[in-house]
Amino acid sequence: MKRFITLIAAALALSAASAADSPSWDFSATVDFAYYPKSEYIKGGTHFAPITGPYSGLEGRVTGKADYTIPTPLGDNWLLNSANLVLQGNLELSPVSVMPGVEVKFTPLPFLVFSAGAQAGTGWNLAGIQGMAGLNSEFVYDNITPFTSWFLKWYAQATFQFDTGAIWPGDWTHFQIMYSYQVYYTMLSAKKDGEVWMWQAAGNRVNGLKNYQNLILAYQMPLILSRVGVLAEWDGYYSSDAFTNPAYKGNFCQVSISPMAQLSFTEHDTLSILLGFSSRRSFTTDHIRDAENKTNDRRETTMTYDGYEWFFNRIALSYTHTF
């Protein structure tokens, strides 16, 4: 799952004001788009894989959110008097999937946020793009009938956020930092543990407990180009035995480092731009190719891990309108 919405939520949280005096509703809609150039795998050890073609894939989705904020002041101290509880409902729609979700977020201190939530979605095949599928014994992803199986995710997260503008007020004093650690579990209800499946056209997944971390370092300005910075992400399974092949290194941690910029056109409209450099497993042998001489990684989970392969992954755009 690509995390464009996480990026927007983090950016908005860094500049958010204290809670209102009474409960309030907030609504937003986010449109995400990503372009992926082609980068062929190279066998052996840790290395960089250059771009080898103009196109590998596109991704898009629309997400609507409704937040209900309840002030829950814990005292008169300035650190505690703006504590709030946010109840959120959201709905994500892509060309090959639909996924509603709920989240509860508690901010006891301005720089600390705790959240927990769950999502449940189903997918379908559209023009050869597989939203939900399982890998069979012939290493082919078979489509799963929509609404007969469900992608499920539940998670808990803690976030530290800080803006130097809180200490030194001013338009040009906003150096910002945000770090989040999320523990989450994902599964496809039709698949047993260890069986490989695909969700939203991304394969090589299994049921299991994972962790996701992100770190944002940014500088905010009173301009249309309102924020520049860098986003670092880490994502992986906890267990080295998540896959049935131990040599695949089940607990491999994918790392992404992405320069980012945010444009604020109005008080309600923002566009975030992200250039993503990522890592993936490299292997002791080449990937198997099909009859059309295209890279075929459907057998990847049977291969032997041999290090990190770094590559340019994507150009991502995320536009958010708050109502």
Side-chain angles (χ1 to χ4, degrees), residues 218-242:
Y219 177 62
Q220 180 178 303
M221 302 168 288
L223 304 172
I224 291 180
L225 178 59
S226 58
R227 184 179 281 105
V228 293
V230 62
L231 168 69
E233 301 171 280
W234 299 264
D235 191 15
Y237 291 93
Y238 280 106
S239 175
S240 60
D241 298 324

Side-chain angles (χ1 to χ4, degrees), residues 30-109:
T30 299
V31 179
D32 298 312
F33 172 81
Y35 159 74
Y36 297 84
K38 188 174 183 179
S39 181
E40 292 275 13
Y41 288 86
I42 302 173
K43 70 175 181 179
T46 297
H47 56 265
F48 180 80
I51 294 175
T52 56
Y55 176 78
S56 175
L58 297 174
E59 185 176 22
R61 66 169 62 87
V62 177
T63 303
K65 292 184 179 181
D67 291 346
Y68 185 64
T69 302
I70 306 171
T72 57
L74 302 177
D76 295 329
N77 186 281
W78 68 273
L79 278 174
L80 302 172
N81 60 13
S82 62
N84 65 79
L85 180 70
V86 178
L87 309 178
Q88 181 188 100
N90 56 73
L91 178 64
E92 174 191 302
L93 181 63
S94 81
V96 293
S97 65
V98 61
M99 182 164 60
V102 294
E103 183 178 76
V104 178
K105 185 183 301 182
F106 180 52
T107 307
L109 300 169

Side-chain angles (χ1 to χ4, degrees), residues 3 102-106 113-119 153-159 179-186 209-214 238:
R3 299 178 181 271
V102 294
E103 183 178 76
V104 178
K105 185 183 301 182
F106 180 52
V113 183
F114 298 104
S115 57
Q119 295 173 294
K153 174 183 177 180
W154 48 91
Y155 60 91
Q157 177 173 300
T159 299
Y179 172 74
S180 296
Y181 189 98
Q182 182 182 109
V183 177
Y184 69 104
Y185 186 89
T186 58
L209 187 66
K210 306 181 71 175
N211 74 93
Y212 169 74
Q213 304 173 62
N214 70 53
Y238 280 106

